[in-house]
Amino acid sequence: MTVAAHLESALRPLLRGPLPVRLHAWDGSVAGPVDAPRVMLESPRALRRILWHPGELGAAQAYVTGELDVEGDLTEALSIAWRTVAERRIPGVRVRDVLRLAVVVARAGALGAPLPAPATQARLRGRRNVPERDRAAISHHYDSSNEFYSLLLDPAMAYSCAYFTRGVPGTPDDPDYGLVEAQRDKLDLVCDKLELRPGARLLDVGCGWGSLSLHAAENYGAQVLAVTIAQAQRDYLEARIADRGLGDLVRVRLLDYRDLTETGFDAVASLEMGEHVGERNYPRYAHALHDAAAPGAPVLIQQMSRRGRHRGGGPFIESFIAPDMAMRPVGDTVARLEDAGLEVRGVQAMREHYVWTAHAWMRRLEERWDEAEALLGPEGARTWRLYLAGGALAFEQGRMGVDQILAQRPATVRAVCDAPDRAVLAP
């Protein structure tokens, strides 16, 4: 029996039915529907990785190393895989499934010790969500290459969900509206919600490459303090401040939110940074935003949400992209912000906008694939392809969301409801 036939026989009980893809093995054998997406097992090493890490992580390791490939649309293949799991109500991998796969791996001559993790997989040490490990986690994702992010993102270097105000992007109805315009509209939306005006003091927590900071200074006359713990981002933003002559309006500091001491800001923003502080530290993060704002000042948080047991996004994202990330349902985040003393004024869901944003980034990646490979290497480029395809699908299927939460530091004394004999000063 061929490798593909052995695999099909072993996987049928786990999948509760036939293969949902066309499987091509390295020995030339084929199994599965003719008209399904084609999954190529280029090396026996792919099976060894999946055996030692059954499920998402092993498959992701094999894909980024090129030991497993998908011919055609990767997003379509992932979508079919998710749909098969949902429709057939496939349970998690069980011991007997692993044993069955081990027999196939042995027959294919691929049985052996675990393979080394791919070079792009994160290697963090120490306790989660302490400053030293947080810096390492952020550096793993954000300090890889400013040149690569310049290739992937819009010219403003906005690395967060855009806001599409003119319909679905990429349609013939409006060919002149795309990612660049949608990121600009997102920045305007944020600045409008924060009621920025000339001279207003804005704190940008987790500023990235400075898209919001520069936009608020240039277009609204705000005086901005931007903070980040990513060295490459800080250096990049410093250069952009100098190039644009904004040194009198924008300051950038390499600073952890836990070390913030300046207060009295007229507005505070944090775009897609709260996911990285960790579950244990989120109350401290929320209090830091509250304490930095002046009494009565608005605070805007744009943050991803997620239900289910994989609060970090799943084994692939947690291992390769954003180690130690923690997401939760948006209602839980609202409660934590309220616990910190903030009054939530509104929540705007933007889930579908992240689908469009991720697809725009994917198009830019594919159009400049050779450059991406030159900057990150083949493994790094494939990691990003898998990340964007999987991320777009997670938002499309509603497994993840993103929201803008507008809050305010109260300007008056408020009583604590569960302790009527005590009063808490909101300022």
Side-chain angles (χ1 to χ4, degrees), residues 17-215:
L19 291 173
V21 297
R22 183 74 165 168
L23 189 64
H24 292 247
W26 64 88
D27 67 344
S29 59
V30 180
V34 175
D35 57 348
R38 294 203 285 180
V39 175
M40 326 293 289
L41 293 176
E42 306 286 3
S43 164
R45 293 165 62 93
L47 291 184
R48 194 190 303 185
R49 291 195 189 277
I50 294 170
L51 175 64
W52 285 101
H53 299 286
E56 181 179 312
L57 181 58
Q61 288 182 333
Y63 179 81
V64 303
T65 55
E67 297 155 359
L68 179 153
D69 206 356
V70 175
E71 191 173 281
D73 190 330
L74 178 59
T75 303
E76 180 189 1
L78 293 175
S79 179
I80 288 174
W82 274 103
R83 187 165 63 247
T84 300
V85 170
E87 291 176 349
R88 299 182 187 177
R89 300 182 182 274
I90 296 173
V93 179
R94 297 156 295 190
V95 173
R96 64 175 177 267
D97 300 318
V98 176
L99 294 176
R100 193 179 291 115
L101 179 61
V103 172
V104 177
V105 173
R107 288 173 175 169
L111 197 62
L115 294 165
T120 51
Q121 191 165 329
R123 294 166 175 80
L124 302 183
R125 299 179 181 275
R127 194 157 55 95
R128 290 170 68 98
N129 301 126
V130 299
E132 295 78 11
R133 178 163 168 143
D134 281 351
R135 284 192 289 271
I138 292 297
S139 179
H140 170 78
H141 188 58
Y142 294 96
D143 285 346
S144 57
S145 169
N146 282 343
E147 292 78 11
F148 170 72
Y149 284 103
S150 296
L151 172 156
L152 184 74
L153 306 178
D154 67 299
M157 293 285 278
Y159 187 36
S160 57
C161 180
Y163 182 61
F164 292 83
T165 61
R166 286 156 60 179
V168 179
T171 60
D173 297 338
D174 201 349
D176 296 327
Y177 187 89
L179 181 65
V180 174
E181 293 76 22
Q183 289 291 11
R184 181 201 60 218
D185 288 344
K186 186 269 301 294
L187 297 174
D188 280 332
L189 180 68
V190 171
C191 292
D192 288 343
K193 288 182 177 180
L194 293 173
E195 300 178 355
L196 293 184
R197 63 192 183 280
R201 296 180 64 228
L202 168 65
L203 173 65
D204 186 0
V205 180
C207 64
W209 289 272
S211 60
L212 175 61
S213 296
L214 296 173
H215 189 81

Side-chain angles (χ1 to χ4, degrees), residues 237-291:
L237 181 51
E238 280 189 336
R240 297 186 84 183
I241 292 169
D243 290 343
R244 300 188 186 192
L246 294 173
D248 58 336
L249 290 178
V250 184
R251 294 177 293 142
V252 57
R253 295 180 61 191
L254 195 65
L255 184 72
D256 193 290
Y257 72 92
R258 286 164 283 206
D259 299 323
L260 280 168
T261 57
E262 291 192 47
T263 59
F265 288 92
D266 299 306
V268 176
S270 189
L271 305 186
E272 296 182 25
M273 185 266 191
E275 302 90 337
H276 297 288
V277 304
E279 191 66 27
R280 181 169 57 91
N281 282 342
Y282 201 87
R284 188 172 182 179
Y285 165 73
H287 277 284
L289 301 181
H290 170 278
D291 295 347

